[in-house]
Amino acid sequence: MALKYLSALLLPGLLVLFFTRVSYNRIIGLVLTVGLIAASVYKGYTNSFALIVIDALSLTVGFWYAQKLKPKIKPSAE
């Protein structure tokens, strides 16, 4: 049971970061991860409200961190 909570704490945030890096868009990364979590809830793998809350917290942190990793555009020296 502890493995489920640890996975819920780490994996959604990492998935948001992964999908953001692959698609170059953090909104798409968030939507893909929410879709995967919704599918797992539908199939019954997430069976408690606490897991859903931890998933949402991890999604939020991953989304925030994806924003921080966005490359900064430097003004041209011309």
Side-chain angles (χ1 to χ4, degrees), residues 30-57:
L30 180 70
V31 168
L32 287 172
T33 307
V34 167
L36 285 174
I37 291 174
S40 74
V41 170
Y42 179 73
K43 291 296 272 184
Y45 298 123
T46 305
N47 54 5
S48 71
F49 185 71
L51 281 174
I52 296 171
V53 170
I54 294 171
D55 280 338
L57 175 69

Side-chain angles (χ1 to χ4, degrees), residues 6 20 29 38 41 47 56 61 68:
L6 184 62
T20 299
V41 170
N47 54 5
V61 170
K68 289 288 187 185

Side-chain angles (χ1 to χ4, degrees), residues 7-17 33 37 54-56 58-59 62:
S7 296
L9 188 61
L10 296 176
L11 291 180
L14 291 175
L15 281 173
V16 170
L17 292 175
T33 307
I37 291 174
I54 294 171
D55 280 338
S58 181
L59 280 170

